[in-house]
Amino acid sequence: MLLLLLLTSAFVLVPWTGAGRIIGGCEVKPHSRPYMAYLIIENRLESFSCGGFLIRPDAVLSAAHCVDIKGIMSITVILGAHNISYQEQSQQWIQVTQWVIHPKYSQDGFKNDIVLLKLKEKARINEYVQTISIPMSNEYVRQGAECEVAGWGLTSMTGSRTNVMREAELKVQDWTICQLIFWNYQRQSMICVGDDYGKKSPYKGDSGGPLVCKQKAHGIVSYGLNGHLSPEVFTRISYFEPWIREQLRKFALQELPDSPSSD
Ligand SMILES: *[C@@H]1O[C@H](CO)[C@@H](O)[C@H](O)[C@H]1NC(C)=O
């Protein structure tokens, strides 16, 4: 099984068997996806990158496996970015003060692969930084729906890097395809997504980014199969909507403690 988070240090990248990118996509028009967040997750030894997206000025959604790392020292969210290799004027760098992993997240099978990050300060909403809506719990994205995924992940299975945001168009697939391939596939809480020709896909470094269908974030990049581009599994946001709302209410109510609750 292939996780799509990316160790930012090239030296630590494990050699890949098979091919990998947002593969088959293209560079987005700069700042056309103002909800996109670039996450830097650091512990003492390493630094990882993931995608995420702004759902409220103080809250970012991402994949739980992005923060399922021992001894996290800091998580930084970069908003308003296009080229992440330098500090663009449009960028806002904000620290994460607390994160809540879904209580039923399991590493074994990547069930409930969702985390909510609370920002230290509210993002300034402007031309470059905006929120995206999430679906209600009864809004089910159907097979055949056309969606897109964006990120700064590897652009080839051989490890080519990109410093600008790229995107790919994908289609929601018949869930039975994913059920055949992934032993842990759960129809209720996951979305089976792919490209009809098997040539486009999110890849390492794209984890946590949104699957956007009709202007709403319906999925979160979760995992795929080593050596295969399609299909891939996304966390189904509608299933988690009540949980997300509850966490957001808590964020709004509490003056949060310093220590992150990562369990
Ligand atoms: C991103 O910025 C870097 C540093 O300024 C630059 O070298 C690179 O060409 C830029 N990438 C693109 C695709 O514009």
Side-chain angles (χ1 to χ4, degrees):
M1 200 146 345
L2 165 66
L3 280 180
L4 304 170
L5 89 172
L6 174 63
L7 221 52
T8 51
S9 155
F11 297 105
V12 206
L13 265 182
V14 179
W16 220 241
T17 50
R21 359 176 201 171
I22 279 177
I23 298 184
C26 52
E27 182 177 345
V28 306
K29 182 169 167 278
H31 311 295
S32 56
R33 282 152 186 76
Y35 47 79
M36 286 294 293
Y38 183 82
L39 270 47
I40 302 172
I41 302 110
E42 291 169 289
N43 67 11
R44 279 177 52 156
L45 301 170
E46 292 159 330
S47 166
F48 303 86
S49 67
C50 262
F53 48 103
L54 193 69
I55 59 166
R56 216 173 59 176
D58 63 343
V60 166
L61 265 186
S62 185
H65 76 258
C66 287
V67 298
D68 184 12
I69 288 164
K70 281 211 176 76
I72 292 180
M73 311 272 286
S74 77
I75 301 177
T76 308
V77 166
I78 306 174
L79 300 165
H82 179 62
N83 184 338
I84 40 99
S85 64
Y86 74 104
Q87 289 216 9
E88 299 159 305
Q89 291 276 317
S90 56
Q91 292 179 9
Q92 296 180 38
W93 291 50
I94 308 180
Q95 290 297 316
V96 170
T97 50
Q98 189 201 25
W99 58 96
V100 190
I101 292 177
H102 192 276
K104 293 203 172 131
Y105 163 66
S106 83
Q107 223 173 24
D108 182 26
F110 308 107
K111 295 192 184 95
N112 310 302
D113 193 6
I114 184 168
V115 66
L116 195 64
L117 311 172
K118 161 88 174 163
L119 304 184
K120 190 171 177 186
E121 60 226 39
K122 282 187 184 170
R124 269 173 292 113
I125 302 301
N126 58 29
E127 182 186 346
Y128 307 109
V129 175
Q130 280 162 35
T131 57
I132 185 167
S133 307
I134 59 168
M136 305 289 282
S137 54
N138 60 0
E139 279 180 72
Y140 200 82
V141 68
R142 295 190 186 285
Q143 183 186 334
E146 291 182 6
C147 308
E148 55 199 31
V149 64
W152 292 268
L154 299 187
T155 58
S156 80
M157 288 201 200
T158 51
S160 313
R161 281 161 182 270
T162 173
N163 39 28
V164 293
M165 196 194 304
R166 298 172 64 84
E167 64 162 336
E169 284 171 14
L170 299 170
K171 234 184 223 178
V172 175
Q173 305 291 314
D174 180 351
W175 63 276
T176 57
I177 295 172
C178 279
Q179 200 186 40
L180 277 174
I181 299 174
F182 306 104
W183 61 272
N184 57 313
Y185 188 78
Q186 290 185 318
R187 189 184 177 185
Q188 264 194 326
S189 61
M190 300 176 186
I191 311 178
C192 185
V193 179
D195 158 43
D196 291 345
Y197 306 98
K199 289 191 171 153
K200 293 186 286 190
S201 152
Y203 203 59
K204 288 182 134 197
D206 289 320
S207 273
L211 179 75
V212 177
C213 323
K214 295 210 173 109
Q215 325 288 336
K216 278 188 188 174
H218 276 271
I220 304 172
V221 179
S222 183
Y223 65 91
L225 206 60
N226 211 336
H228 290 261
L229 289 183
S230 185
E232 304 239 346
V233 178
F234 285 64
T235 305
R236 188 183 291 277
I237 293 175
S238 59
Y239 178 78
F240 296 98
E241 189 258 353
W243 178 81
I244 295 167
R245 300 272 172 226
E246 191 194 327
Q247 303 314 312
L248 288 176
R249 261 196 308 278
K250 287 186 186 167
F251 279 180
L253 290 174
Q254 291 165 240
E255 210 22 68
L256 299 164
D258 289 340
S259 56
S261 85
S262 55
D263 47 20

